[in-house]
């Protein structure tokens, strides 16, 4: 009897450890290293079901959208694509002030589509801190907490991760990377409490990083090859004695330095937007098809290596590319409408190894993403192995 009890105790320990590992894997919104942003500020892009087909053909599994549009959520059902939905900035004040509204939003836009649509994350707001609407700064943390509490009450914390994406505007002194800190007007009152909460719930620090914009701001002093992952002398950080051969790695390590300065050395940094425009205005000379192809091709190669940065060599760099399509209705300079890897008709904007929807073949355009036969673990499948282990042990006791 004592022997059986000892075996049971040992099994229970292994079972609990294994279950914890399963949960920690399940809550990660980003699997692999390469993802893409699906912006839809356009009136000439393919329908969501064709986009799902396009992404599956390109083997791009991680996708971010900037809202929770139901036509997209329905089209992605059963495709196996991992989706991060967005709570737009316009909702933040309401969600911060009203827990019931946050619960209603999560029920209507997340829970209602699980598990068929693999919603793996909610991005609460976008580039709020450092922006021009100071009222949103104060509403962000409250909205994050109320959305998370709704997820928790619905039993979805092992499935859906809560994040928010920041722009470079939250930083000061970002060069060299080791000198980077958060801006004084952001750090103590807003960023630190947000990071404390994210640390508690295991969320990463999400950053929108654009070497394109950094180069455009100072082309006389920045080597474009450094921005494009091309062969270059690079830069050395005198404090850490680390060498950087590309700007994106330096931007990521600058974020790690700011996090460490604030007391969050162990928090992961994920790039939620990066890309290069293929066309621009007269004063945007770097926005060319050749530069866009070079950046995105080299970025894809760099992410495929699944390696870290000079400061965090063991933390694999993960990035969502901006974006799938050129978006013809976006305001601002011409470059804003020309970040897409694909043209509106679904053909490739330039070749970095992906294939587009073949416009000459009507059948291929009509092919539903569900017809491809997507494969992916459902929530119930996470339980199969531990349940099987338990059953095996009960048989052993018999």
């Amino acid at each position: 009897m004592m022997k059986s009890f000892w075996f049971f105790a040992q099994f229970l320990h292994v079972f609990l450890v294994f279950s914890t590992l399963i949960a920690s894997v399940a809550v990660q919104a980003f699997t692999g290293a390469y993802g893409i942003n699906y912006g839809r500020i356009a009136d000439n892009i393919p329908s969501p079901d064709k986009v799902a087909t396009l992404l599956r053909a390109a083997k791009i599994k991680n996708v971010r959208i900037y809202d929770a549009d139901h036509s997209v959520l329905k089209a992605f059902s059963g495709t196996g694509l991992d989706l991060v939905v967005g709570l737009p900035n316009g909702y933040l004040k309401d969600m911060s002030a009203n827990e019931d509204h946050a619960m209603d939003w999560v029920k209507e836009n997340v829970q209602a589509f699980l598990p068929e649509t693999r919603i793996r994350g909610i991005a609460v707001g976008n580039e709020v801190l450092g922006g021009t609407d100071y009222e949103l700064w104060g509403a962000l943390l409250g909205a994050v907490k109320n959305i998370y509490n709704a997820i928790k009450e619905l039993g979805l914390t092992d499935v859906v991760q809560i994040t928010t994406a920041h722009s470079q505007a939250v930083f000061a002194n970002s060069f060299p990377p080791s000198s980077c800190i958060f801006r004084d007007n952001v750090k103590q009152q807003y960023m630190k409490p947000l990071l404390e909460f994210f640390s508690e719930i295991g969320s990463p620090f999400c950053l929108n990083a654009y070497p394109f914009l950094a180069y455009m701001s100072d082309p006389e002093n920045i080597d474009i090859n450094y921005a494009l992952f091309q062969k270059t002398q690079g830069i050395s950080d005198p404090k850490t004695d680390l060498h950087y051969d590309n700007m994106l790695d330096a931007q990521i390590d600058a974020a790690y330095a700011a996090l460490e300065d604030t007391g969050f050395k162990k928090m992961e940094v994920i790039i939620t937007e990066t890309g290069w425009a293929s066309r621009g205005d007269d004063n945007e000379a770097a926005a060319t098809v050749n530069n866009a192809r070079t950046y995105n091709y080299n970025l894809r190669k760099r992410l495929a290596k699944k390696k870290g940065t000079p400061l965090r060599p063991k933390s694999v760099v993960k990035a969502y590319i901006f974006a799938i399509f050129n978006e013809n209705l976006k305001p601002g300079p011409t470059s804003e409408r020309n970040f897409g890897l694909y043209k509106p008709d679904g053909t490739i904007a330039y070749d970095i190894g992906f294939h587009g929807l073949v416009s000459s073949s009507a059948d291929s355009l009509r092919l539903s993403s569900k017809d491809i036969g997507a494969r992916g673990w459902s929530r119930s499948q996470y339980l199969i192995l531990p349940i099987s282990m338990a059953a095996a042990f009960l048989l052993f006791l018999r």
Side-chain angles (χ1 to χ4, degrees):
M1 183 67 182
M2 287 298 296
K3 187 176 181 180
S4 296
F5 177 78
W6 183 85
F7 275 116
F8 179 76
Q10 289 293 102
F11 170 79
L12 184 61
H13 173 74
V14 172
F15 177 81
L16 290 174
V17 170
F18 187 82
S19 298
T20 301
L21 289 172
I22 290 291
S24 67
V25 172
V27 76
Q28 297 299 313
F30 199 134
T31 56
Y34 192 96
I36 201 161
N37 287 277
Y38 176 18
R40 305 187 319 282
I41 306 178
D43 60 6
N44 58 355
I45 59 178
S47 61
D49 63 314
K50 292 176 183 175
V51 174
T53 300
L54 182 68
L55 293 172
R56 293 213 67 246
K59 296 182 180 180
I60 301 175
K61 185 177 182 180
N62 301 287
V63 187
R64 293 178 79 244
I65 59 175
Y66 294 89
D67 53 20
D69 184 89
H70 287 194
S71 66
V72 176
L73 300 183
K74 290 175 183 176
F76 279 44
S77 174
T79 62
L81 299 170
D82 286 346
L83 188 64
V84 173
V85 299
L87 177 71
N89 290 355
Y91 287 78
L92 294 184
K93 295 177 187 177
D94 181 37
M95 296 299 160
S96 179
N98 196 311
E99 292 180 355
D100 291 337
H101 290 183
M103 175 62 76
D104 290 342
W105 190 91
V106 170
K107 285 182 176 178
E108 293 171 8
N109 299 288
V110 178
Q111 185 188 41
F113 293 91
L114 291 171
E116 289 81 9
T117 301
R118 293 170 58 93
I119 299 173
R120 293 294 176 256
I122 301 173
V124 181
N126 186 52
E127 298 188 347
V128 175
L129 301 183
T132 57
D133 190 335
Y134 294 101
E135 289 186 9
L136 291 184
W137 292 27
L140 178 59
L141 181 56
V144 165
K145 287 184 174 180
N146 283 342
I147 292 293
Y148 176 78
N149 289 336
I151 290 293
K152 185 176 181 180
E153 189 172 331
L154 295 172
L156 299 174
T157 54
D158 63 337
V159 178
V160 180
Q161 187 178 69
I162 308 300
T163 60
T164 190
H166 303 285
S167 74
Q168 298 274 356
V170 300
F171 298 131
N173 306 325
S174 59
F175 182 84
S178 63
S179 70
C180 187
I181 57 175
F182 290 113
R183 284 171 44 187
D184 288 340
N185 65 337
V186 170
K187 184 176 179 179
Q188 292 298 331
Q189 186 176 355
Y190 302 103
M191 184 62 79
K192 191 169 184 179
L194 181 67
L195 296 177
E196 287 173 348
F197 185 69
F198 279 161
S199 181
E200 291 174 9
I201 65 174
S203 292
F205 181 85
C206 294
L207 177 66
N208 296 341
Y210 286 90
F212 167 73
L213 297 178
Y215 172 77
M216 290 282 289
S217 70
D218 193 12
E220 292 184 2
N221 294 305
I222 297 175
D223 181 0
I224 194 169
N225 291 319
Y226 178 63
L228 292 171
F229 300 94
Q230 296 282 70
K231 188 175 181 180
T232 177
Q233 290 185 349
I235 64 110
S236 292
D237 190 317
K239 181 179 177 181
T240 61
D241 201 30
L242 295 173
H243 182 78
Y244 293 87
D245 58 13
N246 72 82
M247 186 184 291
L248 185 65
D249 278 5
Q251 290 177 327
I252 295 170
D253 278 355
Y256 276 122
L259 288 170
E260 184 172 351
D261 174 71
T262 316
F264 299 93
K265 183 177 181 179
K266 295 182 179 180
M267 185 170 288
E268 180 185 19
V269 174
I270 290 179
I271 299 301
T272 36
E273 285 184 20
T274 190
W276 199 286
S278 60
R279 183 171 170 242
D281 294 321
D282 291 340
N283 63 342
E284 298 178 303
T288 67
V289 169
N290 186 57
N291 286 343
R293 180 195 300 113
T294 300
Y295 181 82
N296 283 298
Y297 177 75
N298 287 336
L299 174 61
R300 188 183 177 198
K301 285 200 304 181
R302 190 255 180 273
L303 295 175
K305 294 177 181 177
K306 295 187 177 180
K307 68 175 187 177
T309 62
L311 186 64
R312 294 286 189 272
K314 295 182 180 179
S315 298
V316 174
V317 173
K318 303 174 183 177
Y320 289 92
I321 313 309
F322 189 86
I324 302 179
F325 298 109
N326 291 335
E327 297 174 76
N328 68 324
L329 299 182
K330 289 194 75 173
T334 298
S335 60
E336 283 292 321
R337 295 178 288 282
N338 289 279
F339 274 89
L341 299 184
Y342 294 90
K343 296 178 182 178
D345 61 2
T347 59
I348 57 173
Y350 42 81
D351 185 11
I352 63 168
F354 294 133
H355 299 287
L357 292 169
V358 185
S359 58
S360 62
S361 173
D363 289 340
S364 67
L365 282 172
R366 284 196 292 265
L367 180 64
S368 167
S369 58
K370 297 183 182 64
D371 294 335
I372 297 177
R375 293 292 182 265
W377 277 27
S378 67
R379 289 175 61 192
S380 61
Q381 285 174 295
Y382 289 123
L383 302 176
I384 291 175
L385 188 51
I387 288 173
S388 298
M389 290 170 62
F393 180 75
L394 290 174
L395 287 173
F396 169 78
L397 288 179
R398 292 176 62 188

